[in-house]
Amino acid sequence: MRHIAIIGSGPAGYYTAEAAGKQWEDDARVDVFDKLPVPYGLIRTGVAPDHQSIKGVARRYEKTALSDNVRFVGNVTVGEDVSVAELQDLYDAVVFATGAPEDRSLGLEGEDAANIFGSAAFVGWYNGHPEFASIDPDLSKRHAVVIGMGNVALDVARILSKTEAELAGSDIVEHALAMLRGSNLETITILGRRGPHQIMMTPKELGELMHLDRASPRVDGDDLPPVDDDAILEPGLRKSVTLLRDFAAIPESIHGEKAIAIEFDFFANPVRFISEGGRLTGVEVERTTIEKGRATGTGETYVVPADVAVTCIGYRSSAIDGVPFDERQGRFANDEGRILPGLYCVGWAKRGPTGTIGTNRPDGYGVIEKVAEDIGQGGRKRGREGFDELARDRGLDIVTFRDWQKIEEAEAAAAREGAPREKFVDIESMIAARK
């Protein structure tokens, strides 16, 4: 019998558990650990609440979670409740599928001012992540700045601009919805240090900005390269740039009918946050030019008004004592998923925050192939039995997948009309709901 511990219950974790089931069928026991009492990682707390169709992939993970050889072990923090070394003593392989939950920092002057948030915190806030439910952004003033040119920046801008009616079928949490009801935002500026041909935004997400009830996207036509230059782009990026051209062509009369402007400010590199009395008032940016695909400063600066700012510039994995970590890349140091003998990583913890949800499937299967090569028939370790004994000795309050189903039922029962659920936003309420 082979015993596998997977740390993290998001897409990477459950695709890896699925792969283990396919590889060994009944000849393996897989325990999927998570520090939260609820599974699914970024599917629950990272995917935008108005993208419910994407969240539907959790049904596939549920099938894996309910299989006889896979167990969810929630409410257990590896590195605190149990050490990595202890798991290695108990399991033939320990696989980190912890994602990249920490925000990268811009490292700019003034970044510690009030009302500046990283995207992990801000997205976690409107998605009900217990660590970020209390950050309390102030949306009572006029100007928001979103820094970044990827889909997360689009998610943040879209959620900030939507009406309550547009969010009716989403699972945005009530505290965020209440804050958005009182929002007085008039401009949401999306800052990018490079140009339209370097964006990481996908056509579907960009296209959604054309259909907002109270907001319209603005692009300065002078920022767009000649149309013929689009021919060299890969098809997806070409579609995205075509949408930017559509935004630039929106007549001023249409903009005038909308209460909120979503302004794309290209060739704009943030250099300093400006505040008064500790509160954010603006972002100083330097105009850039593109040289060999890189943004180069021109020395020209200006200030973009900002009462709230969200930085969407990427994520890092969380280092764990005793596990080699690549500080520069912000991920575990690994060779195609192998960290050390018996220790592996998968998903963003392995490759950094790149790729889609689906990218994690081949990643998970690939890592399990390496585990199979390395552990053979297994090392006669105690696995699940040994961990349960340790958990009893330490008084750990483990949340099982059946417990999660009770939590899920309670969230569905508490949902406002039209919404799929009202998430619990603190761990105590989650645990209480399983009783």
Side-chain angles (χ1 to χ4, degrees), residues 250-272:
I250 295 174
E252 195 60 38
S253 59
I254 299 297
H255 290 310
E257 296 172 358
K258 305 284 187 173
I260 298 174
I262 300 175
E263 300 181 350
F264 287 77
D265 195 351
F266 295 104
F267 309 106
N269 184 37
V271 295
R272 181 169 68 100

Side-chain angles (χ1 to χ4, degrees), residues 346-366:
V346 69
W348 284 7
K350 168 195 166 192
R351 64 180 190 270
T354 61
T356 65
I357 290 170
T359 308
N360 293 296
R361 185 180 184 277
D363 213 17
Y365 276 74

Side-chain angles (χ1 to χ4, degrees), residues 134-356:
S134 61
I135 65 170
D136 198 27
D138 180 2
L139 306 179
S140 64
K141 296 183 174 63
R142 296 167 55 198
H143 304 294
V145 164
V146 181
I147 299 172
M149 282 285 165
N151 281 346
V152 176
L154 285 179
D155 286 344
V156 170
R158 189 181 66 254
I159 294 298
L160 283 174
S161 64
K162 277 195 167 184
T163 64
E164 184 171 359
E166 288 175 293
L167 292 167
S170 77
D171 63 353
I172 190 169
V173 292
E174 178 56 37
H175 67 239
L177 193 59
M179 189 69 73
L180 289 168
R181 283 190 200 107
S183 169
N184 293 316
L185 292 177
E186 296 177 4
T187 63
I188 301 169
T189 304
I190 302 177
L191 290 179
R193 57 191 174 87
R194 296 191 292 173
H197 276 191
Q198 289 80 39
I199 63 172
M200 302 296 288
M201 299 166 172
T202 52
K204 178 181 180 297
E205 280 68 26
L206 267 174
E208 290 180 78
L209 300 189
M210 292 283 274
H211 307 287
L212 297 171
D213 288 349
R214 63 173 178 177
S216 62
R218 290 175 177 257
V219 168
D220 185 341
D222 292 340
D223 284 340
L224 294 164
V227 174
D228 290 347
D229 289 359
D230 294 356
I232 65 172
L233 304 176
E234 61 88 14
L237 180 54
R238 193 182 313 129
K239 289 180 181 178
S240 293
V241 174
T242 297
L243 283 164
L244 295 178
R245 296 188 187 281
D246 292 343
F247 297 168
I250 295 174
E252 195 60 38
S253 59
I254 299 297
H255 290 310
E257 296 172 358
K258 305 284 187 173
I260 298 174
I262 300 175
E263 300 181 350
F264 287 77
D265 195 351
F266 295 104
F267 309 106
N269 184 37
V271 295
R272 181 169 68 100
F273 290 100
I274 302 168
S275 61
E276 294 180 5
R279 301 291 295 185
L280 180 69
T281 60
V283 181
E284 182 179 345
V285 302
E286 180 181 16
R287 181 63 68 203
T288 66
T289 186
I290 303 300
E291 296 180 2
K292 297 181 179 179
R294 299 179 64 87
T296 302
T298 64
E300 175 192 350
T301 63
Y302 59 98
V303 175
V304 177
D307 302 301
V308 59
V310 184
T311 61
C312 306
I313 58 168
Y315 304 104
R316 294 170 53 86
S317 295
S318 300
I320 296 179
D321 286 345
V323 182
F325 193 77
D326 184 337
E327 288 289 349
R328 187 175 67 86
Q329 296 291 335
R331 64 190 185 194
F332 291 107
N334 72 95
D335 180 8
E336 296 185 342
R338 290 184 173 103
I339 301 175
L340 292 170
L343 205 58
Y344 306 82
C345 56
V346 69
W348 284 7
K350 168 195 166 192
R351 64 180 190 270
T354 61
T356 65

Side-chain angles (χ1 to χ4, degrees), residues 382 386-396:
R382 298 186 66 202
F387 174 77
D388 287 349
E389 183 178 301
L390 181 150
R392 284 193 297 271
D393 290 345
R394 294 183 182 173
L396 302 183

